[in-house]
Amino acid sequence: MTPGAPPPMRLLWIAPKWPLPAQDGARQATSQLITGLCSRGAVIDLLAIVPIGEPVSEDEALTELGVASAEVIRRPKSGRALHLRNLIRHPSRAVTLTQYCAEGLGARLRQAIREPDTAVVFDGLHAAAWLYEVGTWPDGGFLYRAHNVESDLWFRAASRRRGPMAWLLRWQGNAVRRFETRLCTAADRVLTVSDVDADRFRDLAPRANIETIPIGMAPKPQRQQAADGAQLLFIGRLD
């Protein structure tokens, strides 16, 4: 470090999944952003919430992403039985978020965010779900990297269904929206991936401090011309 220069930014990056290998859009967005920040001098401690039994390599994260440290906190595996149990115990919460605030997880994360001179980044809504378990949210503030307006996805799914399933999806959508709105309002800054999302969050949380930082992807070689006679139909979930 140059004499007299300010110390490098240190970030505690809490992710709801292990970012490697980056085989889906969310992992690619996370890994590329972390790699880019590290290359610019940020010091990042990665804390990932990973299902029990999923193999990970902390050493790979140090090498591939350039983070200063990598740690895993285990959560229960998703499943209908877990969702039903969480729904019964916490009917006002979104079941897909509750699995990320399992017993003991909140205490471990509270300990992690007490590091001095460190900014906490919640990478996606699920990474912040353990805040359900704490009465008072972190004093030092935090950043929320929003990959989507998650509640809109629930309401969009509800609009395509009828009967009890539509009601259930709207119920869960409202639970997600309550948490999402509170998180955006409490965050020091909400970092969205598009101006469209930023405008939606301003509607949901008018007092939130919102800024757009688009997803950065490493460019790949582009085919200059189409292969002769080749046609491709790609079917993806796009969810």
Side-chain angles (χ1 to χ4, degrees):
M1 185 170 62
T2 304
M9 178 189 304
R10 193 170 195 106
L11 302 174
L12 175 62
W13 198 285
I14 302 179
K17 59 177 68 175
W18 190 248
L20 297 172
Q23 295 177 333
D24 57 54
R27 286 184 171 89
Q28 288 185 30
T30 293
S31 61
Q32 301 243 1
L33 186 53
I34 289 176
T35 302
L37 288 170
C38 290
S39 70
R40 291 176 176 268
V43 179
I44 295 180
D45 298 303
L46 174 63
L47 188 64
I49 306 170
V50 179
I52 294 171
E54 180 179 312
V56 300
S57 170
E58 288 90 342
D59 290 339
E60 182 183 21
L62 301 180
T63 303
E64 296 294 326
L65 303 178
V67 296
S69 67
E71 182 180 354
V72 169
I73 293 180
R74 296 290 179 174
R75 66 170 178 83
K77 288 184 178 180
S78 302
R80 292 182 180 180
L82 177 64
H83 288 332
L84 181 59
R85 183 166 64 250
N86 287 335
L87 190 63
I88 294 172
R89 290 179 177 177
H90 308 287
S92 64
R93 298 180 183 178
V95 293
T96 54
L97 297 179
T98 306
Q99 63 185 325
Y100 288 85
C101 50
E103 184 178 355
L105 181 56
R108 178 63 191 87
L109 288 170
R110 281 198 299 273
Q111 177 185 354
I113 67 172
R114 289 172 183 161
E115 297 295 331
D117 302 320
T118 298
V120 177
V121 179
F122 292 123
D123 189 6
L125 190 66
H126 295 75
W130 66 275
L131 291 172
Y132 272 131
E133 299 291 346
V134 299
T136 302
W137 288 17
D139 294 332
F142 53 85
L143 308 176
Y144 171 41
R145 173 59 166 176
H147 290 246
N148 297 286
V149 184
E150 297 288 345
S151 55
D152 281 359
L153 302 181
W154 283 90
F155 290 124
R156 191 177 306 155
S159 69
R160 298 169 181 165
R161 300 295 185 94
R162 296 179 181 275
M165 182 55 69
W167 178 85
L168 178 62
L169 291 170
R170 283 195 298 270
W171 176 31
Q172 288 296 291
N174 283 317
V176 172
R177 177 154 294 177
R178 287 193 297 270
F179 183 79
E180 196 170 36
T181 301
R182 184 183 177 191
L183 182 67
C184 290
T185 302
D188 286 345
R189 186 165 297 183
V190 180
L191 305 174
T192 62
V193 300
S194 73
D195 291 334
V196 173
D197 283 0
D199 290 340
R200 284 291 297 124
F201 279 125
R202 291 187 182 100
D203 292 337
L204 298 177
R207 291 183 295 160
N209 183 7
I210 301 170
E211 181 178 347
T212 297
I213 299 180
I215 296 175
M217 293 294 183
K220 296 181 180 180
Q222 300 295 315
R223 182 186 295 275
Q224 297 302 312
Q225 62 184 33
D228 293 339
Q231 294 186 0
L232 176 67
L233 172 64
F234 173 77
I235 302 175
R237 297 195 329 178
L238 302 180
D239 59 354

